[in-house]
Amino acid sequence: MLVALNASTYGVRRTWISALRRDARDERGAAGPLSTPALLETLKSDGYAVIHGISTSRGKLDHVVIGPTGAFAIEARGWSGKIGVNAVPRLTVDGRDEHETVRQVRGAANDVQSRLSRAGVAPWVSAVVVVHEDAQMPRPRFALVHDRVTVVKTSDLIAMIRQHVGALTGPEIARASVAVSA
């Protein structure tokens, strides 16, 4: 959308640009005042390593979290429609096939898992897609069993990570963090 603005509308323009930035942030999975990256950063005080913007063989991955409860490859999406599974079965959002997102996050999780294995740390890396608070889901945590991907609302993400069953020690978390960041 193009909008012509002159100098007399500078104040309006600044407000309009702020609104665009807010909308873009919401599309990346923001929940109220805290975005997904900010929420994940809160895990650091509990001994988790949080790495943002990881390049993988399947493209850019939004976040990797490694901590006492395991390792997580996280892709944030601003989906706010009805989330479900079609007859194939594939993930859908408002009837739109989102299988490519599922393939991307699962492939990225496999890439992260390979890096961790080479570093001598071999936890299962959980693939997670984080969606907007307004998303309509059949369950709070919606696991696609066939594709091994969990879809979760932003507000449930931290609880899902903390409640996950896994066991990594401090030294393993440090080695894993270096392996993923490299």
Side-chain angles (χ1 to χ4, degrees), residues 13 16 19 22 76 86 94 103 105 115 131 138 158 160 173:
R13 179 177 175 265
W16 178 73
R22 250 190 332 273
N86 63 16
D94 287 336
R103 284 185 48 181
V105 72
R115 292 180 195 187
V131 299
I158 299 302
M160 185 208 70
I173 294 168

Side-chain angles (χ1 to χ4, degrees), residues 157-174:
L157 178 62
I158 299 302
M160 185 208 70
I161 290 170
R162 287 185 174 143
Q163 293 169 1
H164 192 267
V165 177
L168 290 176
T169 65
E172 288 174 323
I173 294 168

Side-chain angles (χ1 to χ4, degrees), residues 71-74 85 89-91 99 101-111 113 124-129 142-151 160 164:
F72 306 86
I74 301 169
V85 176
R90 288 187 171 181
L91 179 70
H99 187 65
T101 298
V102 170
R103 284 185 48 181
Q104 187 267 330
V105 72
R106 181 71 252 151
N110 288 340
D111 187 76
Q113 191 159 1
W124 174 259
V125 178
S126 299
V128 180
V129 175
F142 183 47
L144 301 171
V145 177
H146 176 70
D147 290 313
R148 299 179 320 249
V149 173
T150 300
V151 180
M160 185 208 70
H164 192 267

Side-chain angles (χ1 to χ4, degrees), residues 18 32 40 46 51 57 60 87 94 104 107 113 136 138 146 160 170:
S18 297
L40 293 174
D46 294 332
I51 305 122
S57 60
K60 196 82 145 173
D94 287 336
Q104 187 267 330
Q113 191 159 1
Q136 301 163 20
H146 176 70
M160 185 208 70

Side-chain angles (χ1 to χ4, degrees), residues 31-120:
L34 289 179
S35 64
T36 300
L39 280 171
L40 293 174
E41 288 293 319
T42 65
L43 289 169
K44 287 183 174 181
S45 63
D46 294 332
Y48 288 83
V50 179
I51 305 122
H52 306 285
I54 303 298
S55 293
T56 71
S57 60
R58 294 291 294 185
K60 196 82 145 173
L61 180 63
D62 291 337
H63 317 282
V64 173
V65 174
I66 303 163
T69 60
F72 306 86
I74 301 169
E75 189 67 26
R77 292 286 189 249
W79 299 336
S80 60
K82 185 175 181 181
I83 297 175
V85 176
N86 63 16
V88 175
R90 288 187 171 181
L91 179 70
T92 61
V93 178
D94 287 336
R96 184 181 67 249
D97 188 315
E98 289 293 345
H99 187 65
E100 189 52 39
T101 298
V102 170
R103 284 185 48 181
Q104 187 267 330
V105 72
R106 181 71 252 151
N110 288 340
D111 187 76
V112 170
Q113 191 159 1
S114 294
R115 292 180 195 187
L116 298 181
S117 293
R118 286 192 299 272

